Amino acid sequence: MELSKKDILALDSKLFSAEEKKAYINLLYGAPDEWSWKRDLESATSNLRRWRLLLGDEPTPGASYRVAHDRLLFLAKNYPPKKVGQTVTDFTDWIFRLYVPERDYSSLLRGQQIEREIATLRVPAPVHSRWKLEYNGMSGTDSEAFEISTLKINGTPLRGKPDLVFREKGTKRILIVEVKTSEADIPSNGWPNMRAQLWAYSKIDAWRDAEEILLVGEVWGFKYGLRLRQSIRWVKGDQILERENAELFACYSNYCESIGHAHNAIGT
C-alpha cells in the first residue's frame, strides 16, 4: 500500500489528532538512522518483556469493550455485508462496520491501514529459544493464505493470513499472534474484530493437529515512539470466545449465502 504524507494529513481531524498524524508520518517516513540505533539498544530487553506478555497468564487490566456481545449480535442480525467475502479480513471488516458509525468508517479504516503499515515495517518477529517462527504474514513477501475448512462461505473455505505463528519445540503447541497498533484504551477482552480474527485463525487446517493453540492480540502504541503496550490472550476452545464468534460467523455466512443465491438468480 502506498501511503503519502498527504494521505495521513487528510485524515478526519475529529478522529485523528495532529499529534497522531505527526507520529504516523515520523514512523513511516523518519530517517532510517533514527530507528536503527534505538532498535539495537532496546532489542534484548524488549524481546524478553514481549515474551513475558505473550506467554504470561496475568489478566489484561481495564474494562470490557464498550459494545457488548448481545448488542453486537443484534447489529449482526440486521446489517448484511456490502459484498460476499471469503477471507478472514472480509469477515472481520464486516464486524468492524457493525460498531463503527458509517460517517467515520472510511477515515477510521484508512487509519487502520496506516497503523497496519507501521506494524509491518517496524514491529519485528520476536525470538525465543523454545519457540520456532513457523509463519510470518508480516514479512512483506507474498505469504501463503491458509484454508479454514470448518468455516465456509457458499461452500468455499475461508482463507486467512495470520501475522505471526510460532510452534513450541518439543511439543505441538502453537502460538498465533495478531499485531495491532493503537493509542485507544485497550479493552480487557480486546476489540471485537481482533477477537474474531484470532478465533478464525485458531481453526486453520494447517494446525489442526496442535495439542493447544494460544491466541494473542499484541497492542503497540505509536505516539511517543513505537512501544509495546499490552498483550491480550485466549486459548482455542475458550467457551465465550467460541460461542460469541460462532454466532457472528453464522450471521455473516448466512448473509453471504443469500447474496450469492440472489446473484445466481439474477444471472439465470
Side-chain angles (χ1 to χ4, degrees), residues 191-209:
W191 293 273
N193 59 332
M194 184 178 74
R195 291 197 303 263
Q197 201 164 14
L198 285 163
W199 169 79
Y201 292 153
S202 77
K203 298 179 179 298
I204 286 174
D205 295 357
W207 300 297
R208 64 174 59 175
D209 66 334

Side-chain angles (χ1 to χ4, degrees), residues 228-243:
L228 179 57
R229 296 182 62 200
Q230 189 57 261
S231 290
I232 310 166
R233 292 167 301 279
W234 297 269
V235 177
K236 180 183 180 180
D238 176 279
Q239 291 185 357
I240 295 175
L241 184 74
E242 183 65 35
R243 174 180 59 80

Side-chain angles (χ1 to χ4, degrees), residues 31-168:
D33 287 348
E34 292 178 21
W35 285 98
S36 59
W37 69 268
K38 291 181 181 179
R39 208 163 42 235
D40 293 342
L41 181 65
E42 298 171 358
S43 61
T45 54
S46 63
N47 189 67
L48 289 173
R49 177 173 180 259
R50 195 172 176 187
W51 279 104
R52 282 199 298 270
L53 289 174
L54 286 172
L55 301 174
D57 57 3
E58 69 274 12
T60 303
S64 297
Y65 189 65
R66 60 180 176 81
V67 181
H69 176 70
D70 288 348
R71 175 61 179 167
L72 201 64
L73 188 58
F74 170 80
L75 295 169
K77 291 176 178 177
N78 292 278
Y79 192 99
K82 302 285 186 182
K83 63 181 179 68
V84 175
Q86 295 175 323
T87 69
V88 173
T89 299
D90 293 324
F91 169 48
T92 57
D93 181 63
W94 169 73
I95 291 176
F96 180 65
R97 294 191 76 131
L98 295 178
Y99 57 90
V100 169
E102 189 64 34
R103 67 181 182 276
D104 298 337
Y105 172 75
S106 295
S107 196
L108 286 172
L109 180 63
R110 190 64 169 160
Q112 278 196 336
Q113 291 168 338
I114 292 168
E115 290 172 5
R116 176 69 194 166
E117 179 130 332
I118 289 170
T120 301
L121 288 174
R122 300 299 187 195
V123 178
V127 177
H128 196 292
S129 60
R130 201 173 73 243
W131 291 85
K132 177 185 177 184
L133 181 63
E134 187 157 290
Y135 175 83
N136 187 349
M138 302 174 64
S139 62
T141 60
D142 190 17
S143 48
E144 174 188 4
F146 295 100
E147 280 197 354
I148 310 171
S149 59
T150 57
L151 302 177
K152 289 187 171 70
I153 301 297
N154 291 324
T156 301
L158 210 65
R159 297 181 68 83
K161 298 171 68 169
D163 282 345
L164 301 168
V165 182
F166 297 87
R167 184 182 292 273
E168 188 175 31

